Amino acid sequence: MASTTSDGSASAGRWRAAQLGVTRLLLRDLRGVRRLIDQSKLQATVPTWIEAVAAIITRYSELSATLAADFYDGERVAAGVPGTFTVPLADSPPSEQVESSLRWSTKDLWPRDATDSATTAVQLEQFDVRLEAAMAKADGATQKLVADRGRETLRQAVKADPQAVAYARAAALGACAFCRLMASRGAVYRTAESAGRDANEQFSGDASVVKFHDNCHCAIIPVYRGQRFELSPHAREWDRIYREYAAPYPGDQLRRFRRAIAEHG
């Protein structure tokens, strides 16, 4: 009898809990290096802060990838998959990507002229407000970089393992409408074609097969040959809402799904 897996399985819940644990430790360490930023010496201290955060990202992204590999191995054993497979750990995020993300996060730290049309509302605030806004953006960007390495490890494993056929997305009950919609699609993810590139011109390249945003805690759930995937009760309800309120309206489906979730979810 074929085994069954689900985005709502106990192991999926433990995997998401492990991801959240990594995020909590990551954010704790990020708070610890905020003191490196000196208002009177932004040009000198922001690069020092970026260097410190980059080291934190390296450390926690390695942990994220290792935990992902352990999860994949456990799911493979639970599915009774024959043969052996060594999960390749995804590469760390490129230093250029890390630096670009952190510079984007801190661009509003510097005060600007109120008469400049390019000045943002945050740049007109006091420094402590600007710092909090910058650190909130940095927390989100950093969380994504770390979580993505674990998710990419799983995605690459599914692509390389001859016994894996697809993966699904597991989203929390409080996830955004986009994540709920992606999770409701089930085990369709492996290639851009299977995920819907032919139906959505926004898909471009393998990296676009599954999209995540800052502060996203969705997990990837592997599905193996001969295994049956079942949507969790809440994902089935999201799928019902999508089919009833959004599916008949091409080009406007996400907006209608978001509205239907707010009204009925």
Side-chain angles (χ1 to χ4, degrees):
M1 182 178 179
S3 64
T4 301
T5 189
S6 170
D7 60 295
S9 68
S11 60
R14 289 192 295 270
W15 168 227
R16 291 192 64 259
Q19 284 186 312
L20 290 170
V22 171
T23 295
R24 282 193 292 270
L25 294 174
L26 169 69
L27 296 181
R28 178 203 64 187
D29 287 2
L30 290 178
R31 286 192 296 272
V33 298
R34 287 188 184 189
R35 56 182 174 76
L36 295 175
I37 297 179
D38 186 334
Q39 180 182 2
S40 65
K41 302 175 182 177
L42 290 179
Q43 292 288 355
T45 58
V46 169
T48 301
W49 171 83
I50 288 176
E51 185 177 348
V53 173
I56 292 172
I57 291 172
T58 296
R59 182 165 71 252
Y60 281 103
S61 66
E62 290 174 354
L63 175 59
S64 178
T66 300
L67 289 173
D70 290 344
F71 170 69
Y72 189 89
D73 287 340
E75 291 295 280
R76 205 174 189 275
V77 170
V81 176
T84 60
F85 177 76
T86 300
V87 178
L89 300 185
D91 294 334
S92 296
S95 58
E96 297 83 2
Q97 180 185 7
V98 171
E99 182 169 350
S100 176
S101 296
L102 297 177
R103 290 198 177 279
W104 166 80
S105 300
T106 55
K107 67 183 180 65
D108 288 342
L109 277 178
W110 283 264
R112 303 290 175 88
D113 187 343
T115 62
D116 187 342
S117 61
T119 298
T120 65
V122 172
Q123 289 168 339
L124 298 176
E125 298 287 351
Q126 297 297 316
F127 179 75
D128 58 341
V129 177
R130 301 200 307 273
L131 180 62
E132 282 302 314
M135 294 302 98
K137 289 167 69 175
D139 286 352
T142 300
Q143 181 274 335
K144 182 179 185 299
L145 288 168
V146 168
D148 275 355
R149 189 174 180 197
R151 291 186 286 235
E152 183 63 10
T153 293
L154 291 170
R155 194 183 73 82
Q156 290 182 4
V158 169
K159 189 174 181 179
D161 186 353
Q163 296 298 330
V165 295
Y167 55 88
R169 184 182 186 123
L173 285 171
C176 70
F178 173 80
C179 291
R180 295 187 199 195
L181 179 56
M182 295 298 101
S184 73
R185 301 189 65 206
V188 300
Y189 302 100
R190 185 175 190 183
T191 67
E193 286 78 8
S194 66
R197 179 166 61 188
D198 293 341
N200 186 343
E201 62 184 9
Q202 293 181 350
F203 280 101
S204 177
D206 282 348
S208 69
V209 170
V210 59
K211 296 176 184 294
F212 301 96
H213 55 78
D214 291 359
N215 297 310
C216 177
H217 300 290
C218 288
I220 283 176
I221 309 300
V223 182
Y224 302 96
R225 198 173 305 281
Q227 192 174 41
R228 186 174 67 255
F229 178 82
E230 292 182 353
L231 286 174
S232 61
H234 57 267
R236 285 199 302 272
E237 176 63 7
W238 297 337
D239 183 55
R240 183 195 67 78
I241 291 173
Y242 171 75
R243 293 180 185 280
E244 181 174 352
Y245 296 100
Y249 303 94
D252 196 28
Q253 291 162 329
L254 181 57
R255 186 187 70 84
R256 286 179 174 271
F257 180 72
R258 185 180 290 116
R259 187 174 67 184
I261 284 290
E263 294 176 355
H264 307 284

